Amino acid sequence: MSAAFTTSATNVFGIGCYTTVLRKVDSVSTSSVPVPPPKPLLVATPREAGEFPLLIFLHGYLLYNSFYSQLLRHVASHGFIVIAPQLYTVAGPDATDEIKSTAAITNWLSKGLLQGLLPQDVRPNLSKLALAGHSRGGKVAFALALQKAMTTLKFSALIGVDPVDGMDKGKQTPPPVLTYVPHSFDLDMAVMVIGSGLGEVRRNPLFPPCAPKGVNHEDFFKECRKPACHLVAKDHGHLDMLDDETGGLRGRSSYCLCKNGEAREPMRRFVGGAIVAFMEAYLNGDKTELIAIKHGHETAPLELQTIEFLV
């Protein structure tokens, strides 16, 4: 299944100039590729011919990759190929299998098998590869970047979208990623950490916060070394970068489990634009948009409560 849309925008926080195609790929044999991917994929890509950098994006805990369709297309519209695997449908607290699965997908990409799933004359540039994840997917992304599983391709950029390492400090889920030692992450790549101002706030007394203090974006950024940046959206929640409409029981629950902002679009546009600016800087060598965000010259769709850069 595939879908396409097109529009244009003036900055990274709007939809870019490329028409995008969104395709679902099952982890079973197809005529398109001789060896199927290890996990089902959602692939967002430009339709126009060209060679484009690649982003692997990992979904949050018990969420579907399809819930990020609008975000993935936003990024793709700026000239990137985005691969979003469905790592599981049911999972316990241990993320080890997700780390191994992401490594297996990365190794699958190294064999050139993605080409058969892309529009004609669209080519992935595997030398420009970034890794991102939301919530528990952010934890998995950091774990893989820290070589808790080995890959045959090298990542050049790492992005944590409101990453979470467990329920609380001392209650990390296995394998733990945070060490609580400042600048301890030995990462040979640039890092961006995006946080939500409402992620650490309880929606009601019955539920814990979705991104608790002690295991959230603040703690991940404290362990990063330069180059790294930390952007926190004020008055927006842990799930506000999802699609405007997420169906099914899991989709409906995404509206009531976490403290949310008034609307999802501003946070989704911000996350998409920040990812684009960061990848332009560290995959394509153009830091113009990222510097504009740093100095407030790029008009963001929401208010930022934190802008930190380690350079």
Side-chain angles (χ1 to χ4, degrees), residues 205-233:
L206 298 177
F207 297 111
C210 288
K213 289 184 74 68
V215 286
N216 69 10
H217 59 94
E218 293 179 343
D219 305 281
F220 277 86
F221 182 68
K222 287 176 183 177
E223 300 197 27
C224 292
R225 301 174 184 175
K226 61 183 181 182
C229 60
H230 183 208
L231 306 173
V232 182

Side-chain angles (χ1 to χ4, degrees), residues 62-64 66-67 239 242-257 264:
L62 297 180
L63 297 176
Y64 293 123
S66 60
F67 292 172
L239 299 177
L242 300 182
D243 289 355
D244 287 328
E245 296 183 9
T246 49
L249 179 61
R250 294 188 190 187
R252 291 193 296 272
S253 69
S254 71
Y255 297 99
C256 58
L257 292 177
R264 287 178 170 179

Side-chain angles (χ1 to χ4, degrees), residues 25-183:
V25 181
D26 293 328
S27 55
V28 295
S29 297
T30 69
S31 58
S32 301
V33 288
V35 180
K39 294 288 181 178
L41 304 178
L42 191 61
V43 182
T45 176
R47 171 169 282 177
E48 291 82 357
E51 185 177 66
F52 302 100
L54 192 65
L55 170 68
I56 300 175
F57 185 91
L58 309 178
H59 61 83
Y61 185 55
L62 297 180
L63 297 176
Y64 293 123
N65 55 5
S66 60
F67 292 172
Y68 301 87
S69 295
Q70 290 174 280
L71 175 62
L72 304 181
R73 293 193 299 183
H74 181 133
V75 175
S77 74
H78 287 271
F80 298 93
I81 298 170
V82 189
I83 308 299
Q86 185 65 47
L87 294 174
Y88 55 83
T89 54
V90 178
D94 193 326
T96 300
D97 286 345
E98 294 144 65
I99 299 167
K100 292 179 179 177
S101 293
T102 307
I105 291 162
T106 307
N107 295 337
W108 176 85
L109 290 171
S110 71
K111 299 174 182 177
L113 295 166
L114 179 64
Q115 187 65 59
L117 303 174
L118 301 177
Q120 186 175 4
D121 297 324
V122 170
R123 303 179 306 279
N125 185 342
L126 297 179
S127 68
K128 295 182 176 182
L129 180 63
L131 178 63
H134 168 230
S135 190
R136 173 155 149 166
K139 167 196 175 84
V140 172
F142 269 85
L144 184 59
L146 290 165
Q147 299 185 342
K148 292 187 181 293
M150 301 306 296
T151 63
T152 52
L153 292 176
K154 177 179 171 58
F155 295 103
S156 299
L158 173 65
I159 302 159
V161 180
D162 223 16
V164 179
D165 196 25
M167 299 299 294
D168 200 347
K169 186 174 181 179
K171 296 181 180 179
Q172 294 164 265
T173 52
V177 172
L178 296 170
T179 66
Y180 301 100
V181 177
H183 311 300

